[in-house]
Amino acid sequence: MKKAHDNGLQIASHTYEHKISNNTNEFKEALDTMDDFIEKVTGDRPRYFRAPKGHCDEKCQAALDEWDYRLIQWDSDTKDWDLETSGTTEQRVEDSIEFLKKVFAEEKDSYLILMHDSQNYTVGDIAPWIIEKSGMKEKGYKFVTVAECLGDKKGMYRSGKTYGEEPVVETSRSANITVENIQQNLESGAMLSSKPIVTTLLTLCFGFIASLLL
């Protein structure tokens, strides 16, 4: 996790036990425990949060807003976690890639993809396929963190620090980002246009949400 953090990958919070308690105090304790651990390892405290299984009701959202978290949600689920339906790891890889081929054919402005690096086949097969064989780089897409995709790179950690290479190119659209626009994107799950955009360490508003923690 430290290596990923220092190379510019974004580490976000996800609760310590992969669940959100209906008790607000318990929910906050789960966040603090996770964030304390992340800060101990990386030196930074995360501001972004992805809810376990994507479940965060109005009460959950209100609490996160009060605690100054930025809630994000994926728009493309590879279902790499669903080995039971596919039956074998080989079939799971094939199923996830076939799903990605269909969504990539839509050529949306950007993609926020859910994957889990706790699955060896995701790390060894699915992610490399996206990067090397999907053809998305050739179409002009660039790999970036979720915060960068939202034009909020300095907001990924509470320290405001950034790591990895700095963007060297901006489009007129990305140059006119406002705090209001960022918040609207965060709340709606919308991503900024990704094609001729920013050049960074990972660059592509493909914002992978890999489950780095628990």
Side-chain angles (χ1 to χ4, degrees):
M1 183 167 64
K2 173 67 172 171
K3 183 178 180 180
H5 166 274
D6 291 351
N7 280 281
L9 298 176
Q10 182 177 359
I11 310 298
S13 191
H14 195 48
T15 74
Y16 195 72
E17 296 180 338
H18 204 256
K19 63 181 181 180
I20 295 177
S21 173
N22 289 324
N23 182 293
T24 302
N25 291 333
E26 290 179 357
F27 179 24
K28 185 64 164 65
E29 183 179 354
L31 286 172
D32 288 342
T33 302
M34 186 75 266
D35 295 357
D36 287 346
F37 174 70
I38 293 172
E39 186 173 24
K40 181 179 180 180
V41 173
T42 68
D44 274 307
R45 202 168 187 84
R47 174 169 279 129
Y48 278 67
F49 174 78
R50 175 171 76 79
K53 300 182 180 179
H55 300 158
C56 185
D57 59 20
E58 290 184 5
K59 181 181 178 181
C60 164
Q61 293 174 39
L64 291 170
D65 185 57
E66 179 183 345
W67 301 328
D68 194 28
Y69 281 89
R70 295 178 179 174
L71 176 65
I72 52 93
Q73 178 69 297
W74 62 85
D75 66 8
S76 302
D77 183 358
T78 63
K79 295 189 177 180
D80 62 338
W81 48 269
D82 188 9
L83 185 58
E84 183 178 352
T85 298
S86 297
T88 65
T89 57
E90 292 79 8
Q91 189 61 49
R92 180 65 265 164
V93 169
E94 184 177 333
D95 291 345
S96 293
I97 288 176
E98 285 304 310
F99 164 77
L100 289 168
K101 285 179 179 178
K102 290 177 182 177
V103 297
F104 290 167
E106 299 172 10
E107 297 191 4
K108 299 189 296 184
D109 283 347
S110 56
Y111 295 85
L112 195 57
I113 302 171
L114 177 67
M115 297 193 299
H116 300 78
D117 66 356
S118 56
Q119 305 293 349
N120 289 334
Y121 51 82
T122 295
V123 177
D125 297 296
I126 301 174
W129 178 85
I130 293 172
I131 296 168
E132 300 166 2
K133 298 180 180 180
S134 68
M136 298 304 276
K137 285 193 299 184
E138 290 74 12
K139 292 180 180 180
Y141 287 89
K142 299 179 182 296
F143 299 95
V144 296
T145 63
V146 173
E148 288 174 273
C149 201
L150 294 167
D152 186 36
K153 185 175 182 178
K154 291 184 177 180
M156 69 173 71
Y157 300 116
R158 296 188 183 277
S159 66
K161 295 178 183 177
T162 59
Y163 302 85
E165 298 176 9
E166 292 298 318
V168 295
V169 179
E170 282 189 337
T171 64
S172 58
R173 181 173 181 178
S174 63
N176 291 324
I177 293 169
T178 65
V179 173
E180 181 180 1
N181 287 338
I182 291 171
Q183 191 59 46
Q184 288 173 349
N185 284 326
L186 288 168
E187 292 172 354
S188 67
M191 298 290 108
L192 300 177
S193 173
S194 66
K195 290 193 180 173
I197 356 214
V198 230
T199 302
T200 62
L201 175 67
L202 294 173
T203 43
L204 155 78
C205 274
F206 223 132
F208 284 101
I209 311 181
S211 182
L212 295 173
L213 306 166
L214 298 177

